[in-house]
């Protein structure tokens, strides 16, 4: 799994084998995922830490897609990303 995007009452899960839609909240699925492997970086995105290719300003690159880091999450996200082996 590369990342998960919130789409109102649904989530879209992006994986190597394809994208999947599920009726679940981003908060709900993020709570079920291991903290040491996944990170909420925006109100609409949770990313797999090992799939982060680069941290550029207020965004990350995952699977060649630029994902924004929200203002609410920026300090914690940068701390976790920079202290994790990418």
């Amino acid at each position: 799994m590369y990342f998960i995007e919130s789409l109102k009452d649904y989530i879209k899960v992006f994986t190597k084998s394809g994208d999947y839609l599920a009726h679940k909240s981003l908060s709900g699925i993020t709570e079920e995922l291991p903290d040491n492997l996944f990170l909420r970086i925006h109100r609409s995105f949770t990313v797999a830490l090992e799939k982060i290719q680069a941290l550029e300003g207020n965004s990350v690159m995952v699977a060649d897609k630029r994902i924004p880091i929200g203002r609410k999450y920026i300090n914690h996200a940068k701390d976790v990303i920079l202290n994790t082996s990418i």
Side-chain angles (χ1 to χ4, degrees), residues 22-33:
H23 188 265
K24 193 163 185 107
S25 71
L26 185 60
S27 295
I29 192 72
T30 301
E31 288 176 11
E32 296 175 23
L33 297 169

Side-chain angles (χ1 to χ4, degrees), residues 40-76:
R40 179 91 178 251
I41 62 166
H42 189 277
R43 68 184 188 101
S44 298
F45 293 98
T46 293
V47 298
L49 288 170
E50 69 177 9
K51 302 297 185 186
I52 295 173
Q53 299 164 311
L55 171 63
E56 300 172 350
N58 292 343
S59 65
V60 293
M61 292 295 293
V62 177
D64 296 324
K65 178 175 168 110
R66 184 175 307 282
I67 300 174
I69 302 174
R71 281 179 288 167
K72 173 181 171 184
Y73 301 91
I74 191 75
N75 291 331
H76 178 67

Side-chain angles (χ1 to χ4, degrees), residues 2 14-20:
Y2 294 119
F14 293 81
T15 70
K16 184 176 183 176
S17 61
D19 305 339
Y20 303 92

Side-chain angles (χ1 to χ4, degrees), residues 3 9 38 48 55:
F3 63 93
D9 294 336
F38 295 90
L55 171 63

